Amino acid sequence: MTETAFTGVHRNPLVPAPTVPAPTVHHREPALRAAVTGLPGYVAGSRAQGALTAALASNESHYPPLPAVLDIVQSGALRLNRYPDLNAVALRARIAKFLDVTDHQIAVGPGSVGVLQQILTSVCDADDEVVFAWRSFEAYPILTSLAGANPVPVPLNADEGHDLDGMLAAITPRTKVILVCSPNNPTGVAIDHDRMAAFLTAVPPQVLVVIDEAYVEFVDAPDRLDALTLFRRHRNVCVLRTFSKAYGLAGLRVGYAVAHAGLAEGLRRAALPFGVSALAQQAAIASLDAVDEIRDRVNLVVTERRRVTETLRATGWALPDSQANFLWVRAVGERQEALMAAFHAADVLVRPYRTDGIRITLADAVTNDRVIMVLAAMTASAA
Ligand SMILES: Cc1ncc(COP(=O)(O)O)c(C=O)c1O
C-alpha cells in the first residue's frame, strides 16, 4: 500500500490495509490543533541590545545572582552530563520547611508558568472553563486553551484590581479552575486578605482556586493576603510561587505550587520529566538559605516603588497602588504610541499592552530616574 499523504491514522505495515475507502485527505502535511493555531502566542518583553539600555520590560530582578548561586552554577557545570533529581526531593523539603507545610504538598516545575501548565492539564477536560481576571498574566488564556479548556476573562475593576464579585458571577457548572493573580500582573494591584477570604467562602468546593503569588515578596500592605492560611483552611486552594522575581533566578526556571497532597501528587505525575535542572534546584535551595540578602534586595525595590510612585503622581500621573516590582501606566492609542516613542528615544525598554497600558519594571534609583524623566516630560508637554 502506498501512503499518498499523512492522515494522522497509524498504519502498521505488517497488517493488511482495511478494504474501506480511503478517507478524504484535506491536508498534505501534519496539522496543528485548532487550539494551537488560534493562540495569540506569548509576547515576552523586549531584550536589551546595548549596555546602556534600561531593560524594564520583563519584571526580572535588577540585581545580579547571589554569590552562593554563582558558586553553584560554576561548580555545577562539571556535572551537566547528569540528569537532575527527578523528584526534586531536597528542594521540596527545603520549601516545605520554609513555608511550614509538608513536602507532599509541594510540586515544582520549570518556572511557576510550568507548574500552572501542569495544573491546568491535570484538572481540565475539554470545554471546561477557567475563570481569570483580565487584563492579567498573559499566559493564562494561552495555557487554558492548550489544556483544551475555555478561557473566561472577567474585566478588572476601575481601580485595576480583580472584580471578585464578577468572577463569582462567572462561575458555571463547567468551571474547573479560577486563577487569581495577586499582585496582579501587569497592574500591580493586590487583593487584601479579608476580600480573598470572603471570596473563597463563596466558591463551590469542587472549583480549584489557584492564587498566583509570583510577586508576593514585594507586598508590604498592612492588610496583605496570607494565602497559606487560606490554603490550610480550604481544600480547593492552591498557591503558586516562583524563584524568578524576588529571588532573581528567572534564567534558571524554577517555581512551585503549594497544593493539597492529592493535587500535588497529580502535578508531580503530570510534570515533564527532569523539567527542573540540578542547577535550578540547588540555586533555589541556596536562595532560601540566603533569605536575609533577598529581603534586603526586595526592600530596595519597595523603597523605590514608593519614591517613583509619589514622584510620578506629583507630576500628574494617576498610577494605581502597585504592590509588585513594577508600575502600571494606563495609556492607549496615540498616547501610548507617543509614550513608547519617548521611552525608545531614552533607550528605556518597557512593556506595552496595546489595548490597555504600559508596564514598567522597577530597577535602581538611577535607572528609575530615567523613567521619571520620560513620564514627567510627557505630562509637562501635555499641560
Ligand atoms: C503572575 C505571574 N505568574 C507567573 C509568572 C511566571 O514566572 P516563572 O515562570 O518565571 O516562574 C509570571 C511571570 O511573569 C507572572 O507575572
Side-chain angles (χ1 to χ4, degrees):
M1 192 200 88
T2 45
E3 289 276 354
T4 52
F6 176 78
T7 60
V9 180
H10 172 72
R11 291 274 164 78
N12 181 343
L14 298 177
V15 177
T19 52
V20 291
T24 314
V25 175
H26 297 291
H27 300 289
R28 301 192 70 83
E29 57 186 34
L32 291 167
R33 287 167 57 215
V36 175
T37 49
L39 287 181
Y42 187 94
V43 181
S46 317
R47 309 303 307 166
Q49 303 296 329
L52 296 179
T53 305
L56 309 180
S58 294
N59 289 350
E60 301 142 321
S61 171
H62 184 66
Y63 300 100
L66 297 175
V69 168
L70 283 178
D71 285 350
I72 285 165
V73 172
Q74 272 154 12
S75 58
L78 295 172
R79 291 185 298 280
L80 286 178
N81 53 318
R82 302 291 175 194
Y83 282 110
D85 173 8
L86 176 72
N87 297 310
V89 172
L91 174 57
R92 284 176 38 229
R94 185 67 187 85
I95 296 169
K97 185 171 169 223
F98 181 65
L99 300 179
D100 195 19
V101 296
T102 73
D103 55 357
H104 299 298
Q105 295 173 318
I106 303 294
V108 301
S112 56
V113 77
V115 186
L116 180 59
Q117 183 163 34
Q118 289 160 222
I119 293 173
L120 294 174
T121 50
S122 301
V123 171
C124 294
D125 284 311
D127 292 331
D128 283 338
E129 291 171 358
V130 177
V131 174
F132 48 81
W134 199 251
R135 183 170 279 278
S136 189
F137 182 34
E138 64 180 318
Y140 294 165
I142 297 174
L143 296 182
T144 300
S145 302
L146 267 180
N150 293 325
V152 181
V154 176
L156 294 173
N157 275 330
D159 69 355
E160 314 277 6
H162 283 51
D163 174 6
L164 292 179
D165 291 337
M167 292 174 80
L168 282 178
I171 296 174
T172 74
R174 298 230 64 129
T175 307
K176 273 284 172 66
V177 181
I178 302 176
L179 304 174
V180 178
C181 187
S182 184
N184 186 45
N185 176 10
T187 61
V189 174
I191 300 171
D192 69 50
H193 187 82
D194 291 347
R195 278 182 65 224
M196 189 67 194
F199 174 76
L200 289 175
T201 58
V203 174
Q206 73 279 11
V207 175
L208 177 67
V209 180
V210 178
I211 307 178
D212 183 346
E213 292 202 305
Y215 304 95
V216 65
E217 293 83 4
F218 301 101
V219 178
D220 71 345
D223 51 1
R224 71 163 158 254
L225 168 60
D226 177 355
L228 289 174
T229 293
L230 298 177
F231 159 76
R232 290 188 180 91
R233 197 178 294 164
H234 296 274
R235 301 278 315 158
N236 61 335
V237 169
C238 149
V239 180
L240 260 191
R241 298 236 177 129
T242 181
F243 288 96
S244 296
K245 310 297 178 182
Y247 291 92
L249 300 183
L252 278 177
R253 313 304 303 130
V254 52
Y256 60 93
V258 188
H260 289 285
L263 174 62
E265 166 66 17
L267 299 183
R268 291 194 292 272
R269 278 194 219 158
L272 195 69
F274 306 111
V276 182
S277 71
L279 295 183
Q281 294 184 31
Q282 290 161 19
I285 293 171
S287 302
L288 290 177
D289 290 344
V291 77
D292 290 341
E293 285 166 79
I294 299 292
R295 196 174 300 119
D296 289 346
R297 290 171 171 211
V298 165
N299 286 342
L300 292 174
V301 174
V302 170
T303 305
E304 273 300 284
R305 183 176 70 205
R306 219 168 285 138
R307 179 184 77 88
V308 178
T309 304
E310 281 166 14
T311 310
L312 288 175
R313 282 181 179 161
T315 68
W317 285 98
L319 305 181
D321 277 323
S322 173
Q323 285 283 294
N325 65 338
F326 51 85
L327 298 179
W328 176 243
V329 174
R330 185 157 278 281
V332 295
E334 283 174 14
R335 188 167 158 78
Q336 182 175 120
E337 279 167 29
L339 263 177
M340 288 306 292
F343 277 120
H344 183 73
D347 205 10
V348 175
L349 289 180
V350 295
R351 174 75 162 84
Y353 294 82
R354 208 173 42 82
T355 54
D356 302 77
I358 297 175
R359 191 193 66 198
I360 306 162
T361 306
L362 290 154
D364 61 293
V366 174
T367 312
N368 295 337
D369 281 344
R370 289 168 66 184
V371 170
I372 291 172
M373 272 176 55
V374 170
L375 289 171
M378 209 70 184
T379 43
S381 66

